[in-house]
């Protein structure tokens, strides 16, 4: 039994601030004592009462001028696209052809995949992200590389092999049969191994035949507990293309629904151009959406309608995605800053509480992991971030004028980035400490 104690201000969500008053949804400890045992939170108390009962032999780390929150959750990200962030001038379909499909071919080389996977996990941790739903490439070795690195850090990752059997370069194509067989072998190898979870990953409807989408749906039904992720209604040209490829379907989402790819643990990236019936389908089936504001702005795709998605009559689960590399930052703080602007252009003000909820507990709800991550609560896996309220001279000065927690959080959404992440803990272990000589340390493997 290993115990560790952390003292710092801390916050977590008990409910959804889109539907509850901030005071009901958010719990805040101005000075908390967090006790961790064997990788999970044992208790969270006010420091005064927690210190009074803390056994003398438990290591205590104190972070003044900080704020602890649950680890950030990235509901949509492509690790192979790290090498092409900031590719100039294209809309979605041209961007895929010109840049993405070129970069992804490099992942046939397992050594290249391992190198990028290693850098990717470090960027996530540097940004305070402790769980992500990750697209690999069509190559099974790209999935192995990602999960192998995640096992080293003991992070909870969701990932899968991209399936594509048409409308992509020959070198990136599988078939309905080989995509099914390779994905099945990867599920058997990785799903539920430690904290790793498998995600069946048809890239998007235009690059999969109906036979492949149906095979993906069959595979999902055969392996309860696995995930499905794909793209949905990102761009008008893409939507028109789907209409031509699947003329018998009533909408883009109906293509997936028809193939049995909607339901709990289905995550649809973007969903920018949605009809009421699409939101209703997501609500009815329990499917989740990943809002990727930096990507939608970068490619000029459009404005996600967060407040429509979250309508109280038929709420849809929504997580926040960076969508690297159409997205432009690994930081969920920067992503929230852009989510605020996207909502504002749509006539709504996204509060700081709503923002931080999306990045933590809301993301966990979207990924159906809200019984184990996304909150600071006894029994939960101890993945959390230490935010540095004095990370930069500007942040320190600005926050010295903040009147309350909501303002502090909103300024973090506006000015914060990876510099504001002082430490990232995975299952109770400080695997990333910004100011440590060796910033990244693999935890001791658990026996
Ligand atoms: Zn994407």
């Amino acid at each position: 039994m290993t115990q560790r104690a952390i003292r710092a201000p801390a916050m977590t969500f008990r409910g959804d601030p889109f539907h509850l008053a901030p005071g009901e949804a958010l719990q805040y400890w101005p000075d908390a004592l967090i006790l961790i045992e064997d990788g999970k939170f044992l208790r969270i108390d006010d420091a005064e009462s927690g210190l009074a009962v803390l056994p003398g032999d438990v290591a205590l780390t104190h972070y003044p001028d900080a704020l602890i929150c649950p680890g950030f959750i990235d509901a949509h990200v492509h690790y192979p696209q790290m090498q092409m962030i900031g590719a100039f001038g294209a809309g979605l379909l041209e961007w895929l052809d010109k840049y993405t499909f070129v970069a992804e071919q490099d992942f046939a080389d397992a050594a290249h995949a391992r190198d990028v996977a290693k850098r990717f996990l470090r960027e996530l941790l540097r940004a305070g992200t402790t769980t992500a739903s990750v697209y690999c490439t069509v190559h099974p070795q790209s999935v192995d590389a990602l999960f192998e690195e995640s096992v080293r850090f003991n992070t909870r990752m969701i990932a899968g092999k991209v399936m594509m059997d048409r409308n992509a370069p020959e070198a990136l194509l599988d078939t309905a049969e080989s995509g099914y067989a390779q994905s099945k072998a990867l599920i058997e190898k990785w799903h539920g191994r430690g904290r790793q979870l498998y995600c069946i990953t048809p890239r998007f409807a235009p690059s999969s035949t109906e036979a492949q989408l149906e095979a993906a749906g069959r595979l999902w039904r055969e392996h309860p507990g696995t995930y499905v992720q794909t793209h949905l209604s990102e761009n008008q040209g893409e939507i028109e293309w789907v209409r031509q490829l699947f003329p018998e379907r009533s909408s883009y989402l109906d293509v997936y629904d028809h193939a049995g790819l909607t339901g709990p643990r289905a995550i649809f990236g973007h969903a920018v151009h949605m009809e009421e019936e699409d939101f209703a389908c997501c609500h009815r089936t329990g499917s989740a959406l990943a809002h990727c504001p930096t990507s939608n702005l970068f490619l000029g795709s459009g404005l996600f309608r967060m407040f429509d998605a979250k309508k109280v009559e038929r709420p849809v689960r929504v997580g926040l995605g960076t969508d690297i590399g159409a997205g432009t930052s690994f930081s969920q703080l920067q992503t929230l800053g852009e989510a605020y602007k996207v909502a504002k252009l749509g006539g709504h003000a996204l509060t700081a509480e709503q923002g931080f909820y999306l990045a933590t507990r809301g993301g966990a709800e979207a990924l159906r992991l809200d019984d184990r991550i996304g909150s600071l609560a006894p029994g939960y896996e101890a993945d959390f971030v230490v935010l540095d309220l004095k990370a930069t001279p500007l942040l320190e000065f600005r926050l010295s004028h903040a009147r309350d927690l909501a303002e502090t959080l909103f300024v973090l959404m506006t000015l914060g980035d990876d510099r504001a992440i002082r430490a990232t803990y995975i299952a109770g272990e400080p695997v990333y400490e910004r100011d440590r000589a060796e910033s990244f340390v693999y935890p001791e493997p658990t026996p």
Side-chain angles (χ1 to χ4, degrees), residues 191-243:
H191 185 68
R193 181 161 156 193
R195 305 183 75 197
Q196 313 314 314
L197 297 164
Y198 194 81
C199 195
I200 297 161
T201 307
R203 172 173 234 115
F204 68 154
S207 62
S208 286
T209 60
E210 198 157 357
Q212 180 160 68
L213 293 175
E214 272 168 16
R218 192 167 73 248
L219 185 63
W220 194 31
R221 282 191 299 281
E222 290 165 356
H223 296 88
T226 59
Y227 288 77
V228 162
Q229 63 186 348
T230 189
H231 296 84
L232 173 66
S233 300
E234 179 174 359
N235 161 293
Q236 297 291 4
E238 169 212 23
I239 293 168
E240 183 49 41
W241 195 16
V242 171
R243 200 172 286 138

Short mmCIF file of all heavy atoms in Angstrom, two decimals, residues 191-243:
data_model
loop_
_atom_site.label_atom_id
_atom_site.label_comp_id
_atom_site.label_asym_id
_atom_site.label_seq_id
_atom_site.Cartn_x
_atom_site.Cartn_y
_atom_site.Cartn_z
N HIS A 191 -7.28 -4.16 -25.75
CA HIS A 191 -8.46 -3.66 -25.02
C HIS A 191 -8.51 -4.23 -23.61
O HIS A 191 -8.54 -5.44 -23.42
CB HIS A 191 -9.75 -4.00 -25.77
CG HIS A 191 -10.97 -3.41 -25.13
ND1 HIS A 191 -11.20 -2.05 -25.10
CD2 HIS A 191 -12.00 -3.97 -24.45
CE1 HIS A 191 -12.32 -1.81 -24.45
NE2 HIS A 191 -12.83 -2.95 -24.04
N GLY A 192 -8.47 -3.33 -22.64
CA GLY A 192 -8.51 -3.77 -21.24
C GLY A 192 -7.17 -4.21 -20.69
O GLY A 192 -7.09 -4.67 -19.55
N ARG A 193 -6.11 -4.03 -21.49
CA ARG A 193 -4.77 -4.33 -20.96
C ARG A 193 -4.32 -3.12 -20.14
O ARG A 193 -4.12 -2.02 -20.68
CB ARG A 193 -3.82 -4.57 -22.14
CG ARG A 193 -2.41 -4.90 -21.71
CD ARG A 193 -1.67 -5.56 -22.86
NE ARG A 193 -0.25 -5.40 -22.75
CZ ARG A 193 0.60 -5.66 -23.73
NH1 ARG A 193 0.17 -6.06 -24.91
NH2 ARG A 193 1.89 -5.51 -23.55
N GLY A 194 -4.18 -3.29 -18.83
CA GLY A 194 -3.94 -2.13 -17.96
C GLY A 194 -5.06 -1.13 -18.14
O GLY A 194 -6.24 -1.48 -18.04
N ARG A 195 -4.71 0.10 -18.47
CA ARG A 195 -5.72 1.15 -18.60
C ARG A 195 -6.08 1.42 -20.07
O ARG A 195 -6.78 2.38 -20.37
CB ARG A 195 -5.21 2.43 -17.94
CG ARG A 195 -4.79 2.24 -16.48
CD ARG A 195 -4.35 3.54 -15.86
NE ARG A 195 -5.49 4.40 -15.55
CZ ARG A 195 -5.41 5.71 -15.30
NH1 ARG A 195 -4.23 6.31 -15.34
NH2 ARG A 195 -6.49 6.42 -15.03
N GLN A 196 -5.62 0.58 -20.99
CA GLN A 196 -5.82 0.86 -22.42
C GLN A 196 -7.19 0.35 -22.89
O GLN A 196 -7.65 -0.72 -22.49
CB GLN A 196 -4.71 0.21 -23.25
CG GLN A 196 -3.29 0.46 -22.71
CD GLN A 196 -3.03 1.91 -22.32
OE1 GLN A 196 -3.37 2.83 -23.06
NE2 GLN A 196 -2.47 2.11 -21.13
N LEU A 197 -7.79 1.14 -23.77
CA LEU A 197 -9.12 0.81 -24.31
C LEU A 197 -9.10 0.94 -25.83
O LEU A 197 -8.51 1.89 -26.36
CB LEU A 197 -10.17 1.76 -23.71
CG LEU A 197 -10.33 1.64 -22.18
CD1 LEU A 197 -11.08 2.85 -21.63
CD2 LEU A 197 -11.06 0.35 -21.82
N TYR A 198 -9.76 0.03 -26.49
CA TYR A 198 -9.71 0.05 -27.96
C TYR A 198 -10.89 0.79 -28.58
O TYR A 198 -12.03 0.71 -28.11
CB TYR A 198 -9.65 -1.37 -28.55
CG TYR A 198 -9.25 -1.29 -30.01
CD1 TYR A 198 -7.89 -1.16 -30.35
CD2 TYR A 198 -10.19 -1.25 -31.02
CE1 TYR A 198 -7.50 -1.02 -31.67
CE2 TYR A 198 -9.81 -1.11 -32.35
CZ TYR A 198 -8.47 -0.99 -32.67
OH TYR A 198 -8.08 -0.83 -33.98
N CYS A 199 -10.60 1.50 -29.65
CA CYS A 199 -11.62 2.26 -30.37
C CYS A 199 -11.63 1.87 -31.85
O CYS A 199 -10.64 2.08 -32.56
CB CYS A 199 -11.32 3.75 -30.23
SG CYS A 199 -12.71 4.77 -30.70
N ILE A 200 -12.72 1.32 -32.30
CA ILE A 200 -12.90 0.99 -33.71
C ILE A 200 -13.02 2.31 -34.48
O ILE A 200 -13.82 3.17 -34.11
CB ILE A 200 -14.14 0.08 -33.88
CG1 ILE A 200 -13.90 -1.23 -33.12
CG2 ILE A 200 -14.47 -0.14 -35.35
CD1 ILE A 200 -15.15 -2.01 -32.80
N THR A 201 -12.20 2.48 -35.53
CA THR A 201 -11.96 3.82 -36.07
C THR A 201 -12.08 3.92 -37.59
O THR A 201 -11.07 4.10 -38.28
CB THR A 201 -10.55 4.31 -35.59
OG1 THR A 201 -10.46 4.19 -34.16
CG2 THR A 201 -10.28 5.76 -35.96
N PRO A 202 -13.29 3.76 -38.14
CA PRO A 202 -13.44 4.10 -39.56
C PRO A 202 -13.24 5.62 -39.70
O PRO A 202 -13.87 6.38 -38.99
CB PRO A 202 -14.88 3.70 -39.88
CG PRO A 202 -15.58 3.62 -38.56
CD PRO A 202 -14.55 3.35 -37.51
N ARG A 203 -12.34 6.06 -40.58
CA ARG A 203 -11.98 7.49 -40.59
C ARG A 203 -13.21 8.38 -40.77
O ARG A 203 -13.49 9.22 -39.93
CB ARG A 203 -10.98 7.79 -41.69
CG ARG A 203 -10.75 9.27 -41.86
CD ARG A 203 -9.64 9.62 -42.82
NE ARG A 203 -8.72 10.48 -42.11
CZ ARG A 203 -7.47 10.17 -41.81
NH1 ARG A 203 -6.93 9.04 -42.20
NH2 ARG A 203 -6.74 11.01 -41.14
N PHE A 204 -13.90 8.24 -41.87
CA PHE A 204 -15.17 8.93 -42.07
C PHE A 204 -15.87 8.27 -43.26
O PHE A 204 -15.25 7.51 -44.02
CB PHE A 204 -15.02 10.44 -42.23
CG PHE A 204 -14.34 10.99 -43.46
CD1 PHE A 204 -14.65 12.27 -43.90
CD2 PHE A 204 -13.39 10.25 -44.17
CE1 PHE A 204 -14.02 12.83 -45.02
CE2 PHE A 204 -12.77 10.80 -45.29
CZ PHE A 204 -13.08 12.08 -45.71
N ALA A 205 -17.16 8.54 -43.38
CA ALA A 205 -17.97 7.81 -44.35
C ALA A 205 -17.39 7.83 -45.77
O ALA A 205 -17.42 6.80 -46.45
CB ALA A 205 -19.40 8.33 -44.32
N PRO A 206 -16.84 8.95 -46.26
CA PRO A 206 -16.34 8.93 -47.64
C PRO A 206 -15.18 7.96 -47.88
O PRO A 206 -14.98 7.53 -49.02
CB PRO A 206 -15.86 10.38 -47.87
CG PRO A 206 -16.69 11.19 -46.93
CD PRO A 206 -16.86 10.32 -45.71
N SER A 207 -14.42 7.59 -46.86
CA SER A 207 -13.28 6.70 -47.10
C SER A 207 -13.56 5.26 -46.67
O SER A 207 -12.65 4.44 -46.63
CB SER A 207 -12.01 7.24 -46.41
OG SER A 207 -12.18 7.30 -45.03
N SER A 208 -14.83 4.95 -46.37
CA SER A 208 -15.20 3.56 -46.10
C SER A 208 -16.39 3.19 -46.98
O SER A 208 -17.37 3.96 -47.07
CB SER A 208 -15.59 3.36 -44.63
OG SER A 208 -14.45 3.38 -43.79
N THR A 209 -16.33 2.01 -47.58
CA THR A 209 -17.51 1.50 -48.30
C THR A 209 -18.56 1.09 -47.28
O THR A 209 -18.27 0.93 -46.08
CB THR A 209 -17.14 0.26 -49.12
OG1 THR A 209 -16.65 -0.75 -48.22
CG2 THR A 209 -16.08 0.57 -50.18
N GLU A 210 -19.75 0.90 -47.77
CA GLU A 210 -20.82 0.43 -46.90
C GLU A 210 -20.44 -0.91 -46.25
O GLU A 210 -20.72 -1.14 -45.07
CB GLU A 210 -22.12 0.29 -47.71
CG GLU A 210 -23.32 0.25 -46.84
CD GLU A 210 -24.61 0.66 -47.55
OE1 GLU A 210 -24.55 1.04 -48.75
OE2 GLU A 210 -25.65 0.58 -46.91
N ALA A 211 -19.74 -1.75 -47.02
CA ALA A 211 -19.31 -3.05 -46.48
C ALA A 211 -18.36 -2.86 -45.30
O ALA A 211 -18.44 -3.58 -44.30
CB ALA A 211 -18.63 -3.87 -47.58
N GLN A 212 -17.46 -1.89 -45.41
CA GLN A 212 -16.53 -1.66 -44.30
C GLN A 212 -17.25 -1.09 -43.08
O GLN A 212 -16.96 -1.49 -41.94
CB GLN A 212 -15.39 -0.73 -44.72
CG GLN A 212 -14.42 -0.49 -43.57
CD GLN A 212 -13.08 0.01 -44.01
OE1 GLN A 212 -12.95 1.12 -44.50
NE2 GLN A 212 -12.03 -0.80 -43.86
N LEU A 213 -18.16 -0.16 -43.30
CA LEU A 213 -18.91 0.41 -42.16
C LEU A 213 -19.71 -0.69 -41.47
O LEU A 213 -19.78 -0.74 -40.24
CB LEU A 213 -19.82 1.54 -42.63
CG LEU A 213 -19.10 2.79 -43.15
CD1 LEU A 213 -20.10 3.80 -43.72
CD2 LEU A 213 -18.25 3.44 -42.06
N GLU A 214 -20.28 -1.58 -42.26
CA GLU A 214 -21.06 -2.68 -41.66
C GLU A 214 -20.16 -3.64 -40.89
O GLU A 214 -20.53 -4.13 -39.82
CB GLU A 214 -21.87 -3.40 -42.72
CG GLU A 214 -23.21 -2.72 -42.90
CD GLU A 214 -23.97 -3.18 -44.12
OE1 GLU A 214 -23.63 -4.24 -44.67
OE2 GLU A 214 -24.91 -2.46 -44.50
N ALA A 215 -18.96 -3.89 -41.42
CA ALA A 215 -18.00 -4.75 -40.71
C ALA A 215 -17.58 -4.11 -39.39
O ALA A 215 -17.44 -4.78 -38.36
CB ALA A 215 -16.78 -5.02 -41.59
N ALA A 216 -17.40 -2.78 -39.42
CA ALA A 216 -17.04 -2.05 -38.19
C ALA A 216 -18.17 -2.18 -37.16
O ALA A 216 -17.91 -2.41 -35.97
CB ALA A 216 -16.76 -0.59 -38.51
N GLY A 217 -19.40 -2.04 -37.61
CA GLY A 217 -20.55 -2.18 -36.70
C GLY A 217 -20.63 -3.58 -36.11
O GLY A 217 -20.90 -3.75 -34.92
N ARG A 218 -20.36 -4.59 -36.95
CA ARG A 218 -20.40 -5.98 -36.47
C ARG A 218 -19.31 -6.20 -35.42
O ARG A 218 -19.54 -6.78 -34.36
CB ARG A 218 -20.21 -6.92 -37.66
CG ARG A 218 -20.50 -8.37 -37.36
CD ARG A 218 -20.61 -9.20 -38.63
NE ARG A 218 -19.33 -9.45 -39.26
CZ ARG A 218 -18.93 -8.95 -40.43
NH1 ARG A 218 -19.73 -8.16 -41.14
NH2 ARG A 218 -17.75 -9.25 -40.94
N LEU A 219 -18.12 -5.70 -35.71
CA LEU A 219 -16.99 -5.85 -34.78
C LEU A 219 -17.32 -5.22 -33.42
O LEU A 219 -17.00 -5.77 -32.36
CB LEU A 219 -15.75 -5.17 -35.40
CG LEU A 219 -14.43 -5.30 -34.66
CD1 LEU A 219 -13.99 -6.76 -34.60
CD2 LEU A 219 -13.35 -4.46 -35.35
N TRP A 220 -17.95 -4.06 -33.48
CA TRP A 220 -18.31 -3.34 -32.24
C TRP A 220 -19.31 -4.15 -31.42
O TRP A 220 -19.16 -4.29 -30.21
CB TRP A 220 -18.88 -1.96 -32.63
CG TRP A 220 -18.99 -0.99 -31.50
CD1 TRP A 220 -18.18 -0.91 -30.40
CD2 TRP A 220 -19.95 0.06 -31.36
NE1 TRP A 220 -18.57 0.13 -29.59
CE2 TRP A 220 -19.65 0.74 -30.16
CE3 TRP A 220 -21.02 0.51 -32.14
CZ2 TRP A 220 -20.39 1.84 -29.71
CZ3 TRP A 220 -21.76 1.61 -31.69
CH2 TRP A 220 -21.45 2.26 -30.50
N ARG A 221 -20.32 -4.70 -32.10
CA ARG A 221 -21.31 -5.52 -31.39
C ARG A 221 -20.67 -6.76 -30.78
O ARG A 221 -21.08 -7.24 -29.73
CB ARG A 221 -22.44 -5.95 -32.34
CG ARG A 221 -23.45 -4.86 -32.59
CD ARG A 221 -24.69 -5.40 -33.31
NE ARG A 221 -24.40 -5.97 -34.61
CZ ARG A 221 -24.21 -5.26 -35.73
NH1 ARG A 221 -24.24 -3.94 -35.69
NH2 ARG A 221 -23.96 -5.86 -36.88
N GLU A 222 -19.67 -7.30 -31.45
CA GLU A 222 -19.01 -8.52 -30.98
C GLU A 222 -18.07 -8.26 -29.79
O GLU A 222 -17.63 -9.21 -29.15
CB GLU A 222 -18.20 -9.17 -32.12
CG GLU A 222 -19.08 -9.77 -33.21
CD GLU A 222 -18.32 -10.08 -34.50
OE1 GLU A 222 -17.11 -9.77 -34.60
OE2 GLU A 222 -18.96 -10.63 -35.42
N HIS A 223 -17.73 -6.98 -29.56
CA HIS A 223 -16.79 -6.65 -28.49
C HIS A 223 -17.36 -5.54 -27.60
O HIS A 223 -16.94 -4.38 -27.68
CB HIS A 223 -15.44 -6.24 -29.08
CG HIS A 223 -14.76 -7.34 -29.82
ND1 HIS A 223 -15.00 -7.58 -31.17
CD2 HIS A 223 -13.90 -8.29 -29.41
CE1 HIS A 223 -14.29 -8.63 -31.54
NE2 HIS A 223 -13.62 -9.09 -30.50
N PRO A 224 -18.31 -5.89 -26.73
CA PRO A 224 -18.92 -4.89 -25.86
C PRO A 224 -17.85 -4.19 -25.00
O PRO A 224 -16.90 -4.85 -24.56
CB PRO A 224 -19.87 -5.71 -24.97
CG PRO A 224 -20.06 -7.02 -25.67
CD PRO A 224 -18.81 -7.25 -26.48
N GLY A 225 -18.02 -2.91 -24.82
CA GLY A 225 -17.06 -2.16 -24.01
C GLY A 225 -16.03 -1.43 -24.84
O GLY A 225 -15.35 -0.52 -24.35
N THR A 226 -15.88 -1.83 -26.12
CA THR A 226 -14.98 -1.08 -27.00
C THR A 226 -15.71 0.18 -27.50
O THR A 226 -16.91 0.34 -27.31
CB THR A 226 -14.53 -1.92 -28.21
OG1 THR A 226 -15.68 -2.32 -28.96
CG2 THR A 226 -13.74 -3.14 -27.77
N TYR A 227 -14.95 1.03 -28.15
CA TYR A 227 -15.45 2.32 -28.61
C TYR A 227 -15.53 2.35 -30.14
O TYR A 227 -14.92 1.52 -30.83
CB TYR A 227 -14.50 3.43 -28.17
CG TYR A 227 -14.56 3.70 -26.69
CD1 TYR A 227 -13.94 2.84 -25.78
CD2 TYR A 227 -15.26 4.78 -26.19
CE1 TYR A 227 -14.01 3.09 -24.42
CE2 TYR A 227 -15.34 5.04 -24.83
CZ TYR A 227 -14.71 4.18 -23.95
OH TYR A 227 -14.79 4.42 -22.60
N VAL A 228 -16.26 3.37 -30.63
CA VAL A 228 -16.24 3.71 -32.06
C VAL A 228 -15.96 5.19 -32.16
O VAL A 228 -16.54 5.98 -31.41
CB VAL A 228 -17.59 3.39 -32.73
CG1 VAL A 228 -17.71 4.14 -34.06
CG2 VAL A 228 -17.74 1.90 -32.98
N GLN A 229 -15.06 5.58 -33.05
CA GLN A 229 -14.89 7.02 -33.31
C GLN A 229 -14.80 7.25 -34.81
O GLN A 229 -14.29 6.42 -35.56
CB GLN A 229 -13.65 7.58 -32.62
CG GLN A 229 -12.32 7.00 -33.09
CD GLN A 229 -11.12 7.48 -32.27
OE1 GLN A 229 -11.24 8.42 -31.49
NE2 GLN A 229 -9.98 6.85 -32.46
N THR A 230 -15.37 8.37 -35.23
CA THR A 230 -15.28 8.77 -36.63
C THR A 230 -15.61 10.25 -36.73
O THR A 230 -15.82 10.91 -35.70
CB THR A 230 -16.21 7.89 -37.50
OG1 THR A 230 -15.97 8.14 -38.88
CG2 THR A 230 -17.69 8.14 -37.19
N HIS A 231 -15.60 10.75 -37.95
CA HIS A 231 -15.88 12.17 -38.18
C HIS A 231 -17.30 12.35 -38.70
O HIS A 231 -17.82 11.49 -39.40
CB HIS A 231 -14.89 12.75 -39.19
CG HIS A 231 -13.47 12.75 -38.72
ND1 HIS A 231 -12.66 11.65 -38.83
CD2 HIS A 231 -12.74 13.72 -38.12
CE1 HIS A 231 -11.47 11.95 -38.31
NE2 HIS A 231 -11.48 13.19 -37.88
N LEU A 232 -17.89 13.49 -38.39
CA LEU A 232 -19.28 13.74 -38.77
C LEU A 232 -19.49 15.22 -39.11
O LEU A 232 -19.15 16.09 -38.31
CB LEU A 232 -20.20 13.36 -37.60
CG LEU A 232 -21.68 13.70 -37.73
CD1 LEU A 232 -22.33 12.89 -38.84
CD2 LEU A 232 -22.40 13.46 -36.40
N SER A 233 -20.07 15.47 -40.29
CA SER A 233 -20.58 16.81 -40.65
C SER A 233 -19.63 17.94 -40.26
O SER A 233 -20.00 18.85 -39.53
CB SER A 233 -21.95 17.04 -39.99
OG SER A 233 -22.86 16.07 -40.43
N GLU A 234 -18.42 17.86 -40.80
CA GLU A 234 -17.41 18.86 -40.46
C GLU A 234 -17.49 20.03 -41.43
O GLU A 234 -17.33 21.18 -41.04
CB GLU A 234 -16.03 18.19 -40.51
CG GLU A 234 -14.84 19.10 -40.20
CD GLU A 234 -13.54 18.32 -40.14
OE1 GLU A 234 -13.57 17.08 -40.32
OE2 GLU A 234 -12.48 18.95 -39.93
N ASN A 235 -17.72 19.71 -42.72
CA ASN A 235 -17.51 20.70 -43.78
C ASN A 235 -18.57 20.48 -44.87
O ASN A 235 -18.97 19.34 -45.12
CB ASN A 235 -16.06 20.43 -44.26
CG ASN A 235 -15.72 20.97 -45.61
OD1 ASN A 235 -16.27 20.52 -46.62
ND2 ASN A 235 -14.81 21.91 -45.64
N GLN A 236 -19.02 21.55 -45.51
CA GLN A 236 -20.12 21.44 -46.47
C GLN A 236 -19.77 20.56 -47.68
O GLN A 236 -20.59 19.78 -48.15
CB GLN A 236 -20.55 22.83 -46.97
CG GLN A 236 -21.11 23.75 -45.88
CD GLN A 236 -22.46 23.31 -45.34
OE1 GLN A 236 -22.99 22.26 -45.70
NE2 GLN A 236 -23.02 24.11 -44.43
N GLY A 237 -18.52 20.68 -48.17
CA GLY A 237 -18.11 19.85 -49.31
C GLY A 237 -18.13 18.37 -48.96
O GLY A 237 -18.54 17.52 -49.77
N GLU A 238 -17.70 18.06 -47.76
CA GLU A 238 -17.71 16.69 -47.26
C GLU A 238 -19.14 16.16 -47.14
O GLU A 238 -19.45 15.02 -47.53
CB GLU A 238 -17.00 16.67 -45.89
CG GLU A 238 -17.12 15.40 -45.09
CD GLU A 238 -17.14 15.65 -43.58
OE1 GLU A 238 -17.49 16.78 -43.16
OE2 GLU A 238 -16.82 14.73 -42.83
N ILE A 239 -20.02 16.99 -46.64
CA ILE A 239 -21.42 16.57 -46.45
C ILE A 239 -22.07 16.28 -47.81
O ILE A 239 -22.78 15.28 -47.96
CB ILE A 239 -22.19 17.66 -45.67
CG1 ILE A 239 -21.65 17.74 -44.23
CG2 ILE A 239 -23.69 17.39 -45.67
CD1 ILE A 239 -22.11 18.96 -43.45
N GLU A 240 -21.76 17.13 -48.79
CA GLU A 240 -22.31 16.93 -50.13
C GLU A 240 -21.78 15.62 -50.73
O GLU A 240 -22.51 14.87 -51.38
CB GLU A 240 -21.93 18.13 -51.01
CG GLU A 240 -22.49 18.09 -52.42
CD GLU A 240 -24.00 17.78 -52.47
OE1 GLU A 240 -24.75 18.31 -51.63
OE2 GLU A 240 -24.41 16.99 -53.36
N TRP A 241 -20.51 15.35 -50.49
CA TRP A 241 -19.88 14.12 -50.98
C TRP A 241 -20.56 12.88 -50.36
O TRP A 241 -20.87 11.91 -51.05
CB TRP A 241 -18.39 14.16 -50.63
CG TRP A 241 -17.52 13.18 -51.33
CD1 TRP A 241 -17.83 12.45 -52.47
CD2 TRP A 241 -16.19 12.81 -50.97
NE1 TRP A 241 -16.77 11.66 -52.81
CE2 TRP A 241 -15.74 11.86 -51.92
CE3 TRP A 241 -15.32 13.18 -49.94
CZ2 TRP A 241 -14.46 11.28 -51.85
CZ3 TRP A 241 -14.05 12.63 -49.88
CH2 TRP A 241 -13.63 11.68 -50.83
N VAL A 242 -20.84 12.95 -49.07
CA VAL A 242 -21.52 11.84 -48.39
C VAL A 242 -22.92 11.64 -48.99
O VAL A 242 -23.37 10.51 -49.21
CB VAL A 242 -21.59 12.09 -46.87
CG1 VAL A 242 -22.49 11.07 -46.19
CG2 VAL A 242 -20.19 12.05 -46.26
N ARG A 243 -23.57 12.77 -49.31
CA ARG A 243 -24.91 12.69 -49.91
C ARG A 243 -24.85 11.93 -51.24
O ARG A 243 -25.72 11.12 -51.55
CB ARG A 243 -25.45 14.11 -50.11
CG ARG A 243 -26.95 14.18 -50.27
CD ARG A 243 -27.44 15.63 -50.27
NE ARG A 243 -27.40 16.22 -48.94
CZ ARG A 243 -26.97 17.46 -48.66
NH1 ARG A 243 -26.53 18.25 -49.63
NH2 ARG A 243 -26.98 17.91 -47.43
#
